[in-house]
Amino acid sequence: MKQKIIYVLLLVFMGCNTTKNIPEGSYLLDDFNIKHDTKNATSDLEDFVRQQPNSSLLIFGKVGLGIYNMAGQDTSKWMTRMIRKIGQEPVIFSNSQTAISANQLKKQLNNQGYLDAAVDTTLKIKGKKISVTYNLNGGTPYLIRNYQYTLSDTTMARIMSRVPIKPLLNKGDMFDMDMLEQERIQVNNIMRNVGYFDFSKEYLYFKADTTLNSHEVDLYLDIYPKKDSLPYTRYKINKVTVISGLNTLNSATDARQVGNRWFFRNADTTEVKGMKIIHGRNNFLRNSTITRNNFLQKDTYYSDFALNRTYEGYGKIGAIKQTNIDVNPSSEDSTKLDAVITLLPANAHWFSTAIDGTNSAGDLGIAPSISYQHQNLFNGGERLNIKLKGAYEFITGSKNTDLMNQSFYEYGIETSLSFPMFLFPWLKKSWREQPSATTQFSIGLNNQHRPEYTRQFFNGTITYGWSSKRNTLRHNLDVIDINYIRMPWVSERFDSLYLKNPNNPLLKESYSNQLVARTAYTFTLVNNRRFTTLYPTFTLRGAFEVAGLLPRLVTSINSAKPDENGQKKILGVAYAEYVKGSIDYARTFYFSKRHSFAYHIGLGLAHPYGNSDVLPFERRFFAGGANSIRGWSTRSLGPGSYKRSTQNGIETDFVNQTGDMKLEFSIENRMKISELFEFAQFIDAGNIWTLKNYENQPGGQFKFNSFYKEIAVAYGLGLRLDLGFLLIRFDLGTKAYDPGQDQSDRFVMFKRPLKNMAFHFGIGYPF
């Protein structure tokens, strides 16, 4: 109680002393408002106000100013200086700064097409505090009536008539200077990708006719003529030289410098596909790897896109520490360019150790690991990874759940070998050596030890990956992914209570020895072309997998017969058969630089067949968690209207709360409250269902006439810490509609809010 009283008094003290250090005749800038009749978001216009008041936190007010005012007046004392440094000096109202702000706001409206805009300021004084209101009258905005390219350079005009890219400016758009600038950038990018190496957007200008007396503008894009009145030069690539494996640190023995460039002392020069490759004695990279990732081809027009793809191609090779590309006019022909590509080698061998903290659905643990990587195994950018790992997890489940309240440890090894190309027989060379192609072979072994059992996982995978659509579409194909799961030891108690329990076939199926041989394809399409900060973005992800094709072929050839359970086996182990697919779509709209709105739709469907009555536990869908329905914790929702229950005093819901179908929908409103923090409000809806009517999952089967009554709904608040390179997310979700309750009790929005809440921690946005 005393702490609460002190806390309240401290807040009152800080709030009542905000004008303590304001000189006589001056005023504290307490607040400002912007009133306008334009289409702008107020938060965007706030950026043009030159003088901002002291920062304020929700509920707590101007904390920084309060701390500053707590300091004494004697600045010779170190305590006073320290407190003032921690706090924030009061912002004294300035007439000149207010006038500049008003002028900046007017200019911004003019730039957006409000050419008749007017700005007025209103001051409101209360004691030693002053508030400023900027009244913006935009008037009728000017709109574009007609827009045409009128480039005086005939070659450029012909190119623009053939390029399949639409102008950013269209009839009816506002006469917005920012969009005009984006249009100049787009045309400049086109020119620099069709040979105009030394072109700049500064060569482009607009002619605007605003004399139509109808708030309409006729707009024309033209180009300044060259000083010599000659056409702009369109360049082709002439010579391409690649200096491979140059290490300037060993310049005393390996390299020599000529002007600004380095070369090998004892060079080995090779001509390959119109390019000159210069090697040192180390034979750093194979010629095929060098040519595959170079897009600056002889006798082709210069292109910024080709230059950037060359940087990206070499940048993906871990054996290369740095890539330098110099492009300059050729001494042989003034219309051609010479390119020199220098590839600096990185360390081929890497060792790393790590001790990670883990948080799996609220259970804490540690996971040490040691890794070795060879980044250039066969001199073609191949990567060999070997990782030894371990983990210890402290389980904090219910006292009534033998499976979930025992701490456990595990250890294992992962090995992978990846090639920067397609390794596949009978494949065309042009396909096999795509720059974005990768082939990875991986094998792994993991041992999981609990007091009641030991479980082992063996896996082997062959994966192909490649990109298309200018790297906006990424594909991954697991040609074969084999997982063998076995339990070499179980306690008698675990065996009798779970594996031989006829009342829970799902649990028995989840802990049986089995072979999962699957083939899977996934794709990710990302729209990252944002011409302005308000351009919407989207992500589309899809996945499809089928399991059991290879084992089915083997058993058919061997004429294997089903056992007493109707299952065929390979080497005494039953194999799984199922098909599974999922698709997720997320889209984000930007109303302003600080305000965005996102929504997400996800659908998944899986079906066991043939050798399986139930999907393997790891391949089933679950709901709840930081990236799902956030009113529920991980794996605690569904399926359907299934109710959490106990059997013989033992909870087994972690297995029962899985399904064969998933449907999710989320919306999220995001608002920046500072450069570092973002505030969000969200609503999530969805659930999982089973396709079959399993006895131990009553109410879990999907039915068209009732599934809509089983869609769970949650709402909540989120706080995000945006570090630029990393976004840390804290979400608090609350149940609004719980299908796991009786029909009359499912609306739980205002019932037991603390019990119906779930806290989530995540990295990155949920979608």
Side-chain angles (χ1 to χ4, degrees), residues 324-435:
N324 296 321
I325 304 177
D326 292 326
V327 180
N328 295 289
S330 174
S331 59
E332 300 176 357
D333 190 333
S334 60
T335 64
K336 292 190 175 182
L337 302 169
D338 291 338
V340 177
I341 304 172
T342 306
L343 305 178
L344 306 181
N347 292 328
H349 305 275
W350 283 95
F351 286 93
S352 64
T353 59
I355 298 180
D356 299 326
T358 63
N359 184 350
S360 177
D363 298 323
L364 302 179
I366 57 173
S369 64
I370 180 171
S371 303
Y372 165 75
Q373 182 180 99
H374 194 303
Q375 301 192 106
N376 197 23
L377 189 62
F378 305 119
N379 294 104
E382 303 85 0
R383 293 188 182 185
L384 171 67
N385 286 279
I386 301 175
K387 182 177 182 179
L388 300 174
K389 62 178 184 178
Y392 189 91
E393 190 165 333
F394 306 91
I395 303 299
T396 56
S398 169
K399 295 180 180 180
N400 296 325
T401 311
D402 278 8
L403 282 178
M404 298 296 285
N405 69 352
Q406 298 289 335
S407 301
F408 71 90
Y409 68 94
E410 61 181 83
Y411 56 89
I413 182 172
E414 297 176 356
T415 304
S416 66
L417 178 60
S418 61
F419 297 82
M421 60 187 300
F422 283 139
L423 293 183
F424 196 84
W426 312 298
L427 200 63
K428 289 174 58 177
K429 187 175 182 180
S430 59
W431 292 359
R432 184 173 67 249
E433 296 189 350
Q434 288 189 49

Side-chain angles (χ1 to χ4, degrees), residues 526-549:
V526 179
N527 172 27
N528 53 15
R529 293 182 63 200
R530 289 180 60 186
F531 298 112
T532 70
T533 56
L534 305 185
Y535 197 82
T537 61
F538 71 82
T539 301
L540 177 65
R541 295 184 179 91
F544 176 78
E545 64 181 89
V546 56
L549 294 182

Side-chain angles (χ1 to χ4, degrees), residues 447-465:
N447 287 271
Q448 187 182 89
H449 294 267
R450 290 180 183 255
E452 298 289 354
Y453 63 81
T454 298
R455 204 176 189 199
Q456 295 177 333
F457 301 82
F458 302 87
N459 71 281
T461 309
I462 302 176
T463 302
Y464 295 101

Side-chain angles (χ1 to χ4, degrees), residues 14 54-55 62-71 78-90:
M14 293 168 63
N54 293 97
S55 59
K62 303 180 189 298
V63 176
L65 176 59
I67 294 174
Y68 183 93
N69 289 335
M70 290 174 63
W78 70 271
M79 180 64 75
T80 300
R81 295 195 302 271
M82 184 185 69
I83 294 176
R84 288 192 172 188
K85 189 174 182 179
I86 296 174
Q88 187 179 33
E89 187 177 356

Side-chain angles (χ1 to χ4, degrees), residues 273-292:
K273 292 185 177 180
M275 71 178 68
K276 182 188 294 184
I277 301 177
I278 303 176
H279 287 280
R281 290 175 297 177
N282 58 4
N283 192 25
F284 172 51
L285 287 173
R286 293 197 306 270
N287 291 341
S288 59
T289 301
I290 294 173
T291 57
R292 181 170 63 248

